Amino acid sequence: GHLEAAVDRFQQAIGHQPDFAEAHNNLGLALWAQGAFEDATASFASALHWRSDYTKAEENLERGRLMMAEMDRKAGKRPVDGD
């Protein structure tokens, strides 16, 4: 469908221009819409890696981290204590 095509296009764009922060963020949005929250969160982090002032990617990354924490909580996973 449309989401799969969007994912493919964004991945191709990133393949041609790895520092294309907007493509990383948009890939994350498409993955999010598919329910691939972990991969989406990684894409948002990549967008911020390439453009640290990218507010939308920062907001999306925070949303992704919150979703991952909630999924872990529901699965009964607990945070690992630091040393």
Side-chain angles (χ1 to χ4, degrees):
H2 295 294
L3 287 175
E4 292 83 7
V7 167
D8 287 342
R9 286 189 191 109
F10 292 129
Q11 287 173 332
Q12 288 174 8
I14 291 165
H16 292 294
Q17 187 179 347
D19 64 346
F20 190 3
E22 290 80 1
H24 285 281
N25 186 64
N26 290 336
L27 173 61
L29 292 172
L31 291 167
W32 186 276
Q34 291 180 323
F37 302 117
E38 191 170 345
D39 291 338
T41 301
S43 291
F44 301 141
S46 292
L48 276 174
H49 169 79
W50 292 110
R51 196 174 122 202
S52 61
D53 65 342
Y54 194 2
T55 304
K56 288 182 183 180
E58 189 172 0
E59 292 168 357
N60 290 334
L61 178 59
E62 180 61 24
R63 183 174 62 153
R65 287 179 174 160
L66 290 172
M67 175 63 84
M68 298 304 298
E70 179 65 14
M71 290 171 60
D72 285 349
R73 187 188 67 75
K74 286 183 177 180
K77 296 180 182 177
R78 309 192 94 172
V80 177
D81 290 334
D83 292 330

